[in-house]
């Protein structure tokens, strides 16, 4: 009896030590994160202004802005979202709800998991050879969006599968018992109930894509650009009218590349500009996560009602 009690005390001590160690590591990680964000804020907060957000890059630090980088980031992420989210969600639903369990699907699942860990520079080299040279898309917004879309596609697929897998099997059986088809079950039950997890995984994937630099440099993104992509149906300098999708073939830059350009310069004032750009990028990422949390909350309330 005493041996049993001592064994229980020993295991409780191990649990307590593990909990304390986890709390210590969590505190350390959060402390490092807070220190980095605080240092970034101290360095770049004073540079943030409306002129900084609405000015083009310049060789003069006091006049430089991130207007073209914000526009490029927004358009590239628009193409990335349109590429990765529909394909990733559809592929995840198919693999989890429709595909038969056989060696082929097992092979596909293993490769999807492996692709999620491939370094981003590999995707950049693939896009350079396939999209730029083979398909002739050039060093454009379309190429950048497709590259980042393919980069985060495995993450969206894995997140979708995990969210769908978490739905109890009894919900499917109850739907089938009421006479619903598999498509109706997926559309009216599986997809709404799993949408919170899908949104969370998708936003995490897009948050990774928005900060990527290596694949975009590989495909030829510009480090200095003082113009915006053509607005749909706008009048161009040659008096021609832009088409609705001409902006897809435009050259571009994004916030991470603009930050990389400024950090690499010896003038410390450019490094202040880079810190301010980092704050803008951080704010965009937080807004994306906030939108995901809001949509998840709304979806859960709708399901409850």
């Amino acid at each position: 009896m005493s041996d049993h009690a001592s064994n229980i005390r020993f295991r409780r001590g191990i649990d307590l030590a593990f909990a304390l160690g986890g709390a210590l590591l969590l505190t350390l990680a959060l402390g490092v994160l807070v220190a980095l964000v605080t240092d970034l804020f101290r360095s770049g907060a004073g540079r943030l202004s409306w002129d900084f957000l609405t000015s083009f890059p310049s060789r003069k630090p006091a006049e430089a802005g991130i207007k073209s980088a914000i526009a490029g980031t927004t358009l590239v992420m628009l193409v990335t979202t349109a590429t990765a989210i529909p394909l990733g969600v559809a592929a995840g639903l198919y693999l989890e709800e429709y595909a038969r369990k056989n060696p082929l699907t097992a092979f596909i699942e293993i490769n999807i998991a492996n692709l999620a860990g491939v370094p981003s520079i590999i995707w950049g080299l693939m896009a350079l050879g396939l999209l730029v040279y083979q398909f002739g898309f050039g060093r454009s917004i379309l190429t950048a969006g497709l590259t980042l879309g393919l980069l985060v596609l495995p993450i969206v697929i894995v997140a979708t599968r995990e969210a769908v897998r978490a739905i109890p099997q009894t919900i499917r059986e109850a739907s089938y018992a009421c006479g619903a088809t598999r498509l109706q079950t997926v559309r009216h039950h599986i997809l709404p109930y799993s949408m919170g997890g899908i949104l969370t995984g998708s936003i995490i994937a897009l948050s990774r894509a928005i900060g990527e630099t290596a694949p975009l440099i590989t495909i030829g993104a510009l480090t200095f650009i003082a113009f915006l992509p053509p607005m749909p149906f706008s009048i161009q300098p040659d008096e021609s009218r832009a088409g609705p999708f001409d902006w897809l073939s435009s050259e571009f830059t994004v916030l991470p590349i603009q930050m990389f350009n400024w950090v690499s310069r010896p003038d410390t004032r450019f490094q202040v500009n880079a810190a301010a750009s980092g704050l803008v990028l951080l704010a965009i990422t937080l807004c994306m996560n906030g939108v995901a949390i809001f949509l998840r909350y709304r979806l859960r309330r709708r399901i409850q009602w």
Side-chain angles (χ1 to χ4, degrees):
M1 187 67 180
S2 59
D3 292 340
H4 181 67
S6 61
N7 188 30
I8 292 177
R9 288 194 298 269
F10 175 73
R11 293 187 179 277
R12 286 179 176 176
I14 293 178
D15 291 340
L16 179 60
F18 183 80
L20 292 177
L24 179 62
L25 292 176
L26 178 62
T27 304
L28 179 62
L30 291 178
V32 172
L33 178 62
V34 170
L36 291 175
V37 174
T38 302
D39 182 69
L40 189 68
F41 186 81
R42 288 178 178 176
S43 301
R47 186 67 180 87
L48 289 177
S49 65
W50 182 250
D51 290 337
F52 180 73
L53 299 177
T54 58
S55 300
F56 287 108
S58 173
R59 292 178 175 85
K60 299 179 180 179
E63 299 177 2
I66 55 174
K67 181 178 180 179
S68 56
I70 291 178
T73 299
T74 302
L75 295 177
V76 168
M77 292 307 300
L78 179 63
V79 178
T80 301
T81 303
T83 302
I85 304 303
L87 289 177
V89 173
L93 286 173
Y94 174 79
L95 289 174
E96 199 63 32
E97 295 294 325
Y98 289 92
R100 296 181 178 179
K101 305 303 179 183
N102 53 41
L104 177 60
T105 56
F107 177 77
I108 293 174
E109 292 172 1
I110 292 174
N111 280 275
I112 289 174
N114 290 334
L115 286 175
V118 171
S120 59
I121 188 64
I122 303 300
W123 292 102
L125 294 173
M126 180 276 299
L128 181 65
L130 183 64
L131 301 179
V132 176
Y133 295 129
Q134 188 66 30
F135 292 163
F137 292 161
R139 296 172 172 87
S140 62
I141 292 175
L142 177 61
T143 301
L146 292 176
T147 302
L148 296 182
L150 294 175
L151 170 68
V152 302
L153 180 61
I155 302 176
V156 179
I157 294 175
V158 171
T160 301
R161 295 195 63 195
E162 293 298 328
V164 171
R165 194 176 299 168
I167 305 301
Q169 183 64 26
T170 53
I171 294 180
R172 299 175 177 84
E173 295 173 353
S175 178
Y176 295 146
C178 292
T181 63
R182 179 173 295 183
L183 178 60
Q184 291 172 331
T185 301
V186 171
R187 178 182 177 184
H188 297 291
H189 300 282
I190 303 302
L191 191 57
Y193 294 153
S194 61
M195 188 56 68
I198 293 174
L199 283 174
T200 301
S202 299
I203 294 298
I204 292 174
L206 295 178
S207 298
R208 176 188 175 184
I210 200 174
E212 287 292 345
T213 305
L216 301 184
I217 292 178
T218 304
I219 64 175
L222 301 178
T223 58
F224 184 90
I225 182 171
F227 60 88
L228 295 178
M231 292 284 292
F233 308 111
S234 62
I235 303 299
Q236 300 304 301
D238 58 357
E239 297 185 357
S240 62
R241 186 177 295 274
F245 300 106
D246 285 356
W247 56 273
L248 288 172
S249 59
S250 175
E251 294 180 320
F252 70 99
T253 189
V254 292
L255 281 170
I257 292 180
Q258 187 67 70
M259 293 169 58
F260 173 77
N261 180 27
W262 282 337
V263 169
S264 61
R265 297 192 178 189
D267 193 337
T268 56
R269 292 177 296 176
F270 280 114
Q271 298 178 12
V272 173
N273 290 347
S277 301
L279 290 176
V280 174
L281 185 61
L282 183 62
I284 294 175
T285 305
L286 292 176
C287 288
M288 292 170 56
N289 284 273
V291 170
I293 293 172
F294 174 76
L295 292 177
R296 183 172 58 187
Y297 174 74
R298 290 293 300 273
L299 289 171
R300 286 180 176 177
R301 287 198 61 183
R302 184 180 301 177
I303 290 173
Q304 291 175 356
W305 286 101

